[in-house]
Amino acid sequence: MYNRYAASTPPVVLNLIIINAIMLLATSLLPDPVVNKIISNLALFNVESPLFHSYQVVTYMFLHGGFSHLFFNMFALWMFGRTLEYELGSKRFLIYYMVCGIGAAILQLLVGWLEFHFGGAGVVALFAPTVGASGAIFGLLLAFGVLHPNATIMLLIPPIPLKAKWFVIIYGVIELFFGMSGRMDNVAHFAHLGGMLWGFLLLYYWKHKGSIRY
């Protein structure tokens, strides 16, 4: 059923892609002082940082670290988000996307606070920004796996087909492993897990209310 949506891009997905692309252009083309101002105000910082503002749990997901970071996130948004927006409706899809992104930020902040106070993270960690829509995107992956567990996804590396439910489970385990082990510490693994966690909770809530079925 989800294949019938492949030819069109619904409004929320389209506008999210446009906004993220505009923000990358701004941080790529504007003078460095302006870019630094944008990053220091809109990226997500540790709650103990003097640069932290509560609204950053929303704004951070519209910034990206470069073209490849943006491309893979927006490609996943386009690939999975179209089906989900048509099935959930634009309003519910946007709510889901934002809840996953904000939930990802909250878990990332909690982990950052624990690492700073109990894990030996230095002062430098207070000024390390978190950016990107990955938390929200991982929420979309979770939703697609829940709503279409037996849909086949063709991986890029390695190029093999995999059912969506296994794709989500494997990705979640990988993120948990890297998050707990501290490997690839330049990636916000717990933000990814946070997006999946909040996405699962919201889907369960909607299912319990009878708003959706799966």
Side-chain angles (χ1 to χ4, degrees), residues 152-179:
T152 300
I153 296 174
M154 180 60 71
L155 304 182
L156 296 178
I157 303 174
I160 58 174
L162 192 66
K163 287 188 175 181
K165 59 186 176 183
W166 296 118
F167 176 78
V168 170
I169 291 172
I170 291 170
Y171 238 120
V173 170
I174 290 173
E175 289 300 314
L176 181 61
F177 168 75
F178 282 124

Side-chain angles (χ1 to χ4, degrees), residues 61-84:
M61 69 179 87
F62 298 101
L63 298 175
H64 286 81
F67 176 77
S68 62
H69 189 201
L70 174 76
F71 174 80
F72 285 111
N73 275 343
M74 295 303 100
F75 179 74
L77 171 60
W78 179 80
M79 183 175 179
F80 298 105
R82 291 173 300 161
T83 298
L84 295 172

